Amino acid sequence: MHAQIVLFEGFDPLDVIAPYEVLSAGGAATEGAVTVELVSAEGPRDVVGGVGGLALRATARLDPDRAGLVLVPGAAGRTGDPVEVPDHEARTTESGPDATIPELLGRTLSTELPALLRAAAANPDVLLTAVCGGSVVLAMAGLLKGRHATTHHMGLDLLDATGAHAVRARVVDDGDLVTGAGVTSGLDLGLYLLEREVGPQVAHAVEELFAHERRGTVWRNTGPRPAHF
């Protein structure tokens, strides 16, 4: 399984690093059956994250035709209004210390990323995944209408407003779409993806290596609905 983790200006570093390390460890545990790379809509380049200005190197352009999974992180910036509609016309030259998270997410709309994500979603061999505000990026690309997904708890109303069915869960599995909630859930998402796509023994080994126990139940749209909650 090959994983493409997307970088864009203002990305949240932990949204990227947590699943990157988990999936990379899965690759080591399977002698290379899992591979991971950092990509961008523009191709190889240094991409500056949000608050703190950490830069990571994208080594390739996001390839929607490549089988495997695509993971979209959220952004790091000022919180702003949690139901603020992202402004895709905002300047895109730099993330800036005063940019809000909705502004940073909205700026992805002026790049090639939405078109690439739509192409990836149309590929039956691609599993689309996201952490935190990455779900909002997918929603803004028109990919979550009618789908079950989660995001940071402060963005659930915004996700609902895009036509998605927002679920207050740490990880939500909606078939060819798997999303994680707030920032540290990238660890849980990565471990769940290893369990789902590679196997529970590999996921358990990586979980032990990282000394991290996943929390909560992965939400799926199956089984009877609870009656009085």
Side-chain angles (χ1 to χ4, degrees), residues 21-224:
E21 285 210 42
V22 169
L23 295 172
S24 294
T30 56
E31 298 183 335
V34 179
T35 54
V36 193
E37 68 177 333
L38 301 179
V39 301
S40 78
E42 298 78 20
R45 68 187 186 97
D46 291 330
V47 186
V48 179
V51 174
L54 175 69
L56 295 178
R57 178 73 179 172
T59 58
R61 185 174 186 264
L62 172 60
D63 183 358
D65 296 322
R66 183 162 188 177
L69 68 88
V70 172
L71 188 148
V72 184
R78 288 193 299 107
T79 302
D81 185 342
V83 295
E84 179 182 351
V85 177
D87 180 7
H88 67 279
E89 296 180 351
R91 60 189 178 86
T92 59
T93 55
E94 57 182 357
S95 57
D98 295 324
T100 66
I101 291 174
E103 287 172 341
L104 293 169
L105 297 175
R107 290 172 189 174
T108 64
L109 293 178
S110 62
T111 72
E112 292 184 71
L113 184 56
L116 291 172
L117 291 173
R118 286 191 286 268
N123 184 345
D125 295 323
V126 169
L127 173 62
L128 210 54
T129 72
V131 181
C132 200
S135 297
V136 177
V137 174
L138 295 180
M140 292 189 300
L143 296 172
L144 294 194
K145 189 172 183 179
R147 303 298 301 268
H148 295 89
T150 191
T151 186
H152 191 283
H153 64 89
M154 294 184 68
L156 289 170
D157 288 344
L158 176 57
L159 201 60
D160 256 337
T162 68
H165 299 302
V167 180
R168 191 176 291 272
R170 195 157 172 84
V171 176
V172 172
D173 184 337
D174 198 38
D176 58 357
L177 171 72
V178 183
T179 53
V183 190
T184 59
S185 66
L187 287 167
D188 295 45
L189 177 67
L191 288 165
Y192 175 67
L193 291 171
L194 283 181
E195 178 183 346
R196 177 182 140 148
E197 300 299 312
V198 182
Q201 294 186 44
V202 170
H204 181 263
V206 174
E207 188 175 85
E208 282 199 314
L209 175 67
F210 279 40
H212 173 75
E213 295 184 2
R214 287 181 284 171
R215 294 193 286 110
T217 300
V218 174
W219 190 95
R220 302 178 186 85
N221 190 27
T222 59

